[in-house]
Each structure stands twice: as C-alpha cells, then as structure tokens.
Amino acid sequence: MSGILRRFGLIRTAAIAGFGSAVLCCSADDRFRASVAVRVPGPLPDSLWLTFPTLFDSQCLLFSHKSGSSGIDALYSYRVCPIPSSDGSGTVDDKSKPSDYFGRDTIANAAAKVAPAVVNISTHQDFYGIVSGKSIGSGTIINKDGTILTSAHVVVDFMGTRGSAKGKIEVTLQDGRKFEGKVVNADLHSDIAIVKINSETPLPEAKLGSSSRLRPGDWVIALGCPHSLQNTVTAGIVSCVDRKSSDLGFSGMPREYLQTDCAINMGSSGGPLVNMDGEIIGVNMMKLTAADGLGFSVPIDSASKIIEHFKRSGRVIRPWLGLKMLDLNEMIIAQLKKQDASFPNVSKGILVPMVTPRSPGERAGFCPGDVVIEFDGKPVERVKEVIEILGDKVGVPIKVVVKRKGDKLVTLSVIPEEANLDI
C-alpha cells in the first residue's frame, strides 16, 4: 500500500512539473501573461492555492543556445490564498480565487469595451470656399447623446485664449458612420474640448474611470486614429502619474500629466488612454518628437473637472491669488534652515517664495518666506491640495494660516480673483 502511495505522489509531482514544462516551452513569438492555478489537495491539512502570473517575452532570454536560437524569459511571482471552500460534493467556491488575473486576452478585452466609442475627427479648413488644409485627431463618445471628449488643439484654433473652430468638423465612427460635429466647449490651458454630434440611432459610449489610483508600472492602452489609421490600439505602461508641466517647458498655469510609453503619433491626440478594466483614465495629448516612448495624457480626473466647469458656466473659471507656491520636503527644509536658522520649524507645508505686486495675495498680507499650513480650515501639504480647495471660488474670502520666521503663526484672509490668462 505504501508503495502505491509513493508512486501516486511521484505521478502527481511529475504531472505538475510536466504542466510547468508545457507552459515554458510555448512559442517564443508569443507575448502574454498566463495565470497558472495549481491545487495540491493531498493529505496535507494546509493545502493552498498557488497562483503564478508568468510573463513571457522573446526579447529577454532566460536560456538560449549558442547558435542564437531564441529563448524564453519567465518572471515568476506568486500569491497564496486560502483553499477554496467546498460543500462536500467536490464543488469549489470560485469566489475565493484571485480575481485580477492578467491573461492573454486582457488587453484585447479592455480595448473591445472602448473601441466602438473611439472616433476619428478631421477638420477641413477653408477660406472663402477654398480648402487650405486638413487636420486629424481622435476622440471618444462619453454619452449616448453624441457628446465627444477630445483635445482642444484638434478642433480649435486659439488666438490668445479665445478659440474658434478650425472649420467643418467631420466625425467618423468605428463602424464607418460619418457625422458633422460641432464644438460645444474648448479650453486652451487644459487642452480639453467637447464636440457634439447628432444621431437618430443609438451611439456607443465609453465609461470614465479614475486616474487617482494609477501607479507607475500599471498597464494601459491608447486608442485612436494616428495618421487617419482608424481603430489603432497600442499598449504600454504608466511611466509617471504626475509629470509637471514645468518639466516639459510649459509656462503659465501649473498642470500635471500622465506619462506613458504607449505609441502616440499624429492623429492620436484626443483619443482615450484606457486601463485594463476598459475605462478611460486619460486623454492622449502629445508625444516628444525627439524621443520614443514619451507620450503624455491629461488625467481623466482633471478632464472631468473641466467638463463640470463647462456644464456650470460654459467655460473654466480659475481663481488667482498671485502667490508662487512650492511643496516642502525634508531636503528643502534642511537647506532653508542651513541658509537661515530662523526659518519656521515645520516638517511639511507649502512655501510662498514670491508674492506678485498688487495681487490678492499681497493685499491679504502674504510675505515671501511664509509657509502655508492651513487653507480654508483644512491642513495642507501640497500645492495640488490648495488648487483642489480653491476650485472655482472667486470673490469669496478664504482664511489661510501661515507660519513665519520665529515660528509666528498668522491668520490671513485672501479673496481670489479670476485669472486673466491673456496676460
């Protein structure tokens, strides 16, 4: 009897090893992530589910022959979950299995959810009846009523901050249907625009997700119509979730972008950046022409706020304080302390290094060197938090607590004005 059990155990081990070998010996031309769930029920009381997400990439060789034949790189990680419950009949409750598998169809499935709502946008510019040019871009239908989210530079020519439609706008759906589009709203500084089409038949729509939960390394896909090539899908990862506009050489209002290595080319502008759940998490905006794998998108959370501004007032209202602000960290604080021992004793906060003359900030009594620690009754650590609290508050007094040299606490009242972005 014991001999039979030993043989059974050997057979079971060989079966598991054989399955693993079969996975490792798949074609080197394939690139996918497989999730292998192995259950060893045996007599062990603590039997476990072991899940091995495995990445195969023919570009990275784990083993190869000297003759140059390609090999396979397998990057292993695993997660241990409690054994699934059973009702005694051998039926396993699948609810206890890991749910976030990344399979070979994950990207395709995510793209399929959004693709029908992705449109090609072309604008025909004409002067006195003579067609002088054509520009192309992409967009996404975000409401069945024909509301399309896209980039402002795709559909609008800006003179200062005032925009006018580039010309006749033609919108082509994935199924080939064509519509004439109308620019409803556009904002230069966020590069977000809303285009509207009218259809007698139902239109597909894409779901808006959230960009706040993104992390560097997350998989994303970009959809659009680069060079008028309809229904193009590219994939990559998030490289940075908060690339500053100043890092890209942009002046004016501070903005943050998602940086990815998805292929974005002429005509991709305005198309959606999508997560693996098939939700829009960004609006593709541009790429660096002098480099590959450096694409940038407007986070969908920012775009959603712009859309809300459009709905409320037809434009984006931006409060202005006239304060230059800088997020403090331990290194900056240490440097400032070294330069001036009287610098406030803080571990975090927002430094005000400059105050614009004749601005709301100067009238409120702000001084260079102030450290903002509370804004409108809320503790703050980052400039981003101040911007979120401000929202579109204009003409409304806001209490601000600052810390000055010698650890002096001062409460100020500032009344934001609407920013004049033409200056």
Side-chain angles (χ1 to χ4, degrees), residues 376-388:
D376 198 23
K378 302 178 181 68
V380 290
E381 300 176 14
R382 301 182 62 197
V383 177
K384 187 176 182 179
E385 296 170 344
V386 171
I387 295 174
E388 290 175 352

Side-chain angles (χ1 to χ4, degrees), residues 35 49-53 77-81 97-101:
S35 294
W49 277 87
L50 301 181
T51 303
F52 297 84
S77 64
Y78 72 91
R79 190 168 31 161
V80 179
C81 303
K97 293 182 181 179
S99 60
D100 54 344
Y101 289 118

Side-chain angles (χ1 to χ4, degrees), residues 319-370:
W320 178 62
L321 300 178
L323 304 174
K324 185 175 179 61
M325 292 181 164
L326 174 69
D327 294 342
L328 288 175
N329 56 39
E330 291 182 0
M331 184 180 68
I332 295 176
I333 293 171
Q335 291 177 341
L336 293 172
K337 275 283 190 183
K338 188 175 181 180
Q339 295 173 4
D340 185 355
S342 65
F343 185 80
N345 289 309
V346 293
S347 59
K348 52 194 173 184
I350 304 166
L351 177 67
V352 179
M354 187 180 75
V355 180
T356 303
R358 297 180 297 280
S359 68
E362 185 187 57
R363 290 192 289 272
F366 280 91
C367 300
D370 284 349

Side-chain angles (χ1 to χ4, degrees), residues 226-270:
H227 300 284
S228 293
L229 299 174
Q230 193 98 6
N231 309 330
T232 297
V233 179
T234 63
I237 63 170
V238 176
S239 305
C240 180
V241 297
D242 55 359
R243 180 63 63 202
K244 303 291 190 295
S245 55
S246 56
D247 295 341
L248 303 176
F250 295 157
S251 58
M253 300 290 292
R255 287 146 288 174
E256 290 185 351
Y257 301 106
L258 301 174
Q259 179 184 328
T260 75
D261 66 352
C262 292
I264 297 176
N265 296 287
M266 181 182 297
S268 296
S269 292

Side-chain angles (χ1 to χ4, degrees), residues 3 9 12 35 83 97 110 121 149 177 195 220 264 285 403:
R12 177 170 35 178
S35 294
I83 182 172
K97 293 182 181 179
I121 299 175
L149 175 63
R177 285 184 288 170
V195 173
V220 288
I264 297 176
M285 189 182 92
K403 207 169 192 180

